Amino acid sequence: QVQLVESGGGSVQAGGSLRLSCAASGYTYSSSCMAWFRQAPGKEREGVAGIISDGTTRYAGSVKGRFTISQDNAKNTLYLQMNMLKPEDTAMYYCAAAPECGGSWPPLARAAFTYWGQGTQVTVSS
């Protein structure tokens, strides 16, 4: 049974940093795709950053240069380092996994992912 558990959310002021973690169990990272999504109240869930098993990463334009996605295969843990946070980054952040997705480019579409965490709230004040 695949489980994804996020942690690390919280409240920060604009310009601050947070690091989110996603602990995965029930599968291994080889040939998998992982991603972080976020959903603000009244808005669609959007892909923020993705990574595939060879380490290739992809970012949404709104976070490129500020957020960094990484993974620790030994710990089966996914991370999202968020720097220079802005009030518009306020949202519930979700970890997502597609264990057998293959491919050479990380997907950021919701339909590509099978498993989801419960989310962790990030609030950025101005």
Side-chain angles (χ1 to χ4, degrees):
Q1 180 179 349
V2 176
Q3 280 193 314
L4 303 173
V5 180
E6 302 100 332
S7 61
S11 297
V12 295
Q13 290 192 325
S17 299
L18 283 173
R19 188 175 84 151
L20 306 183
S21 299
C22 172
S25 61
Y27 79 99
T28 57
Y29 273 35
S30 60
S31 76
S32 68
C33 297
M34 301 286 293
W36 288 96
F37 283 73
R38 68 185 181 187
Q39 188 167 19
K43 294 190 176 181
E44 295 287 321
R45 190 171 299 189
E46 62 171 348
V48 171
I51 189 168
I52 58 177
S53 55
D54 68 357
T56 301
T57 58
R58 178 184 179 187
Y59 298 92
S62 58
V63 306
K64 200 168 186 179
R66 299 188 298 122
F67 290 10
T68 302
I69 188 171
S70 62
Q71 59 191 13
D72 184 332
N73 292 339
K75 296 181 179 179
N76 263 16
T77 301
L78 181 73
Y79 302 99
L80 184 68
Q81 178 67 44
M82 305 185 294
N83 298 328
M84 295 183 288
L85 282 161
K86 304 176 181 179
E88 50 263 44
D89 294 319
T90 295
M92 186 72 79
Y93 282 71
Y94 298 90
C95 171
E100 299 296 332
C101 79
S104 59
W105 186 238
L108 286 181
R110 284 186 69 172
F113 295 90
T114 307
Y115 300 102
W116 296 83
Q118 81 290 349
T120 186
Q121 178 68 37
V122 172
T123 303
V124 185
S125 58
S126 57

